[in-house]
Amino acid sequence: MATALKKAKDVQTAPLVAVGLIGGWLTARETGIRPLGGVILGAAGAYAARTWYAKTGAAGTAALVGAYLGAFGLSHPLAKKIGAWPSVLAVTALSAGAAALADAK
């Protein structure tokens, strides 16, 4: 039995960003398998990018994917300064906020 994906324009991506960043980090931390966390990060990002493309086109998608991946990259040095959880939550809030703006379109 095949399952159809929701129409791209009907998907809310802010929650996907949160799942990708928080879920990916937590999965890597709890399993000790960093690539598994990367799978969560990548899958959520790819599904969100599908919607971003439908709502904002190529340029908007590039900016939002950049914000998403930038948040992931920024969380690492930020964690050294403020701790892991605060870092992940802070970058997730920023990235999900940007996604919410795209969701409003």
Side-chain angles (χ1 to χ4, degrees), residues 14-15 17-23 71-72 75 86-98:
V17 166
V19 166
L21 291 168
I22 295 171
F72 168 70
S75 69
S87 171
V88 170
L89 293 175
V91 301
T92 298
L94 292 173
S95 189

Side-chain angles (χ1 to χ4, degrees), residues 18-90:
V19 166
L21 291 168
I22 295 171
W25 173 75
L26 193 57
T27 299
R29 179 180 157 203
E30 294 300 316
T31 65
I33 305 169
R34 292 181 72 163
L36 186 56
V39 168
I40 304 295
L41 179 80
Y47 194 58
R50 171 183 169 260
T51 292
W52 295 333
Y53 185 76
K55 290 183 178 182
T56 67
T61 301
L64 289 160
V65 168
Y68 181 66
L69 294 176
F72 168 70
L74 178 62
S75 69
H76 292 81
L78 188 58
K80 293 179 188 207
K81 296 188 181 296
I82 66 172
W85 267 116
S87 171
V88 170
L89 293 175

